Amino acid sequence: MSNSGSPCNAQPSLGSVPQHGQPLWLLAELTYKCPLQCPYCANPLDFANRTEELTTQQWLDVFAQARELGAAQLGFSGGEPLVRQDLVELIGGARELGYYTNLITSGVGLNERKIGDFHDAGLDHIQVSFQAADPEVNNMLAGSGKAFRQKLAMAKEVKAQGYPMVLNFVTHRHNIDQIDRIIELCVELQADYVELATCQYYGWAYENRNDLLPTRAQLERAERITNEYRDRLAKEGNPIKIIFVTPDYYEERPKGCMNGWGQVFLTITPDGTALPCHSARMLPIEFPNVREQSIEQIWNQSNGFNHFRGYEWMKEPCASCDEKEKDFGGCRCQAFMMTGDANNTDPVCSKSPHHDLILNARQAAESAEHTEPVFRNERNSRVFCKG
């Protein structure tokens, strides 16, 4: 998508930027390698061209610097973080620094011994993701015939070793009509926390949007059934917590993306690029790298992190909107993907002059027929790399 006319590379006036927060939440994307090929993966489309990874010591230095700035929670993500052979060492280093640590995993590559090793190293939390409650659908989306069986076994083992059972299901057109079965599976597994995260359309999910976006009727039905289960389970005394996340595409106001640009969240990619959110790499902005700058310089002084802080960058209708301090103009990545200019109002907002793009996507979902998704794998990534 062309970005001609976009002022994204202009240097902001740093003196006019309001006081910003601390990087409280650090997401360490340890690798882009993954044994699965989910068509809604948030990794960049061109990940096949990004093979360089930080060393163990470089990651530990990042953790230490971020901790000095106030970071308290550390998520190990990817790709699949289990691919990293130094994961136990990284967990141990984070524990010594005082982080609350969270492993975000597909469960593929996990086993009883590894879970024990992670526990001994001080890991606080493991989140296991599923593609569906139906083995056939799950394995089709994962691109692996063994994925569902492995996930099921590892979710049980995580619980058996004393961790809270935290499950994540990304819901979309292919599985949202099975929401009752998904919740029943979570109950069977004695889950403590469940996130039913309706697909958000970035990265590979944006490429597959026509195949993944549910209809409004599907979404409303799923939310109604979820609420019915919540009420019933609460009456039965089941302490399970079920979070239902609606997609931006069916809202009239955008979310306050990442609690504001460069306010709370810090993402470090496998090669050390620092981002205000995990999708920001798509933007025509030069982001800093931890190999070249300290975390303090990156967070406080870099163009990348100061670019959308404050309100001076805003165009109308955001510039004069009385809601701008609540939603910060919405998502910069979504604005760029859909309009070609990251300074535009997020098209999700009904006040946006580009809101018709969202309305058209909703309408397309009503008539969309099933198509073969573009799976997230190296072959398809190389196609994107070639343009």
Side-chain angles (χ1 to χ4, degrees):
M1 188 177 290
S2 172
N3 60 6
S4 59
S6 172
C8 271
N9 291 313
Q11 185 77 17
S13 173
L14 299 188
S16 64
V17 175
Q19 184 68 33
H20 51 265
Q22 299 170 280
L24 299 177
W25 211 104
L26 171 62
L27 181 66
E29 292 184 332
L30 301 180
T31 181
Y32 285 142
K33 297 174 184 175
C34 184
L36 305 185
Q37 51 181 355
C38 306
Y40 48 77
C41 182
N43 284 169
L45 298 174
D46 64 348
F47 74 87
N49 266 6
R50 304 180 185 275
T51 58
E52 193 173 13
E53 294 181 4
L54 296 180
T55 65
T56 304
Q57 189 55 53
Q58 286 172 325
W59 274 119
L60 292 174
D61 288 344
V62 166
F63 299 166
Q65 291 180 56
R67 189 77 179 101
E68 288 182 4
L69 282 185
Q73 184 160 330
L74 170 56
F76 296 106
S77 181
E80 174 49 68
L82 294 172
V83 172
R84 290 282 298 218
Q85 299 303 304
D86 58 355
L87 185 52
V88 171
E89 185 175 353
L90 294 177
I91 292 169
R95 165 49 66 94
E96 289 180 7
L97 290 166
Y99 279 102
Y100 180 91
T101 52
N102 179 21
L103 175 63
I104 304 166
T105 177
S106 68
V108 176
L110 198 57
N111 57 44
E112 181 179 347
R113 177 187 57 78
K114 286 183 180 180
I115 297 172
D117 290 344
F118 297 157
H119 189 278
D120 292 343
L123 184 67
D124 294 294
H125 181 113
I126 300 176
Q127 176 184 295
V128 179
S129 65
F130 279 78
Q131 280 71 27
D134 178 89
E136 184 176 346
V137 175
N138 186 101
N139 293 344
M140 181 275 290
L141 292 168
S144 168
K146 301 177 180 179
F148 184 79
R149 185 172 66 239
Q150 169 71 7
K151 289 171 179 289
L152 205 60
M154 288 305 100
K156 293 176 180 178
E157 185 60 33
V158 166
K159 182 81 171 184
Q161 294 209 28
Y163 282 103
M165 171 72 75
V166 183
L167 303 179
N168 174 271
F169 286 80
V170 177
T171 61
H172 42 74
R173 174 184 292 272
H174 292 283
N175 65 8
I176 198 166
D177 291 331
Q178 300 176 355
I179 201 75
D180 51 349
R181 178 65 192 114
I182 289 174
I183 296 173
E184 287 170 4
L185 175 61
C186 295
V187 173
E188 290 171 15
L189 291 172
Q190 299 180 325
D192 297 286
Y193 299 93
V194 177
E195 183 176 18
L196 304 175
T198 312
C199 192
Q200 305 292 341
Y201 296 93
Y202 303 92
W204 293 83
Y206 189 72
E207 293 298 315
N208 288 300
R209 188 183 67 184
N210 289 341
D211 186 58
L212 296 173
L213 184 64
T215 65
R216 181 180 291 278
Q218 285 181 304
L219 184 66
E220 290 176 348
R221 174 182 176 275
E223 190 166 16
R224 173 181 57 78
I225 290 174
T226 300
N227 287 332
E228 290 171 356
Y229 268 95
R230 282 175 177 152
D231 292 342
R232 194 191 81 194
L233 291 166
K235 289 177 182 177
E236 294 173 355
N238 191 318
I240 186 173
K241 305 296 183 186
I242 304 175
I243 301 169
F244 188 92
V245 182
T246 58
D248 294 354
Y249 278 57
Y250 287 101
E251 302 288 350
E252 297 303 317
R253 289 289 185 273
K255 63 181 181 294
C257 192
M258 308 307 291
N259 281 29
W261 181 276
Q263 295 297 321
V264 176
F265 294 93
L266 170 63
T267 295
I268 307 298
T269 68
D271 67 1
T273 301
L275 303 172
C277 82
H278 63 272
S279 296
R281 197 165 200 165
M282 73 174 69
L283 299 176
I285 298 174
E286 184 176 352
F287 287 104
N289 194 290
V290 299
R291 299 172 191 265
E292 300 161 357
Q293 297 182 45
S294 70
I295 298 296
E296 190 278 331
Q297 290 173 316
I298 287 169
W299 184 259
N300 291 316
Q301 301 170 28
S302 72
N303 174 50
F305 276 76
N306 279 293
H307 205 97
F308 292 114
R309 282 174 173 154
Y311 307 104
E312 290 187 356
W313 59 270
M314 288 183 173
K315 295 181 176 183
E316 293 293 348
C318 290
S320 59
C321 181
D322 60 4
E323 297 179 74
K324 67 183 180 183
E325 294 183 12
K326 179 169 62 177
D327 60 34
F328 317 110
C331 177
R332 299 302 87 223
C333 298
Q334 197 149 256
F336 177 69
M337 283 189 301
M338 300 190 78
T339 74
D341 186 346
N343 288 60
N344 283 335
T345 301
D346 187 335
V348 164
C349 185
S350 62
K351 298 180 183 181
S352 167
H354 303 285
H355 187 57
D356 61 301
L357 297 172
I358 293 292
L359 299 180
N360 292 341
R362 294 178 193 171
Q363 185 59 41
E366 297 293 331
S367 58
E369 297 181 0
H370 172 68
T371 57
E372 185 68 24
V374 179
F375 288 101
R376 182 260 194 219
N377 54 45
E378 288 200 14
R379 180 177 60 82
N380 287 334
S381 180
R382 291 193 186 97
V383 172
F384 286 114
C385 292
K386 293 176 181 178

